[in-house]
Amino acid sequence: MTARETITTEQFDEMFDNGEDVSAHVDWSKARRPNQEPRRVNVDFPVWMVRDLDKEAGRLGVTRQSLIKMWIAEKLG
């Protein structure tokens, strides 16, 4: 890949608004998704609930953590 050509914000916005490919002007290594940074929380579940979560996660072919996150996202979204 060659060095990026420097463009102004206005040029970038115009290219984007025109549906042009602006990916060559983006440093993807520094890209961030706002409000998507992970934050660890601890939740205690009774043994029966963990067992049922694991059973459902196995049925769906996902991890327990993924299942919990999917269910919470559905409820909050």
Side-chain angles (χ1 to χ4, degrees):
M1 182 175 196
T2 61
R4 287 190 186 96
E5 173 189 346
T6 302
I7 62 173
T8 66
T9 304
E10 291 78 17
Q11 289 171 315
F12 183 92
D13 289 346
E14 185 177 343
M15 289 172 65
F16 181 84
D17 291 343
N18 291 335
E20 297 177 44
D21 182 5
V22 294
S23 60
H25 302 285
V26 177
D27 183 354
W28 294 109
S29 69
K30 296 180 182 176
R32 300 288 179 262
R33 294 178 68 192
N35 299 315
Q36 297 294 319
E37 301 85 13
R39 185 168 194 183
R40 184 170 303 277
V41 296
N42 295 317
V43 180
D44 296 323
F45 295 110
V47 172
W48 69 266
M49 196 176 291
V50 173
R51 186 178 52 245
D52 288 355
L53 281 167
D54 288 343
K55 187 188 305 183
E56 184 64 9
R59 187 182 75 76
L60 296 174
V62 298
T63 64
R64 179 192 310 150
Q65 180 175 340
S66 294
L67 178 64
I68 293 168
K69 289 195 292 188
M70 288 182 338
W71 283 353
I72 291 173
E74 286 174 7
K75 195 69 171 175
L76 296 176

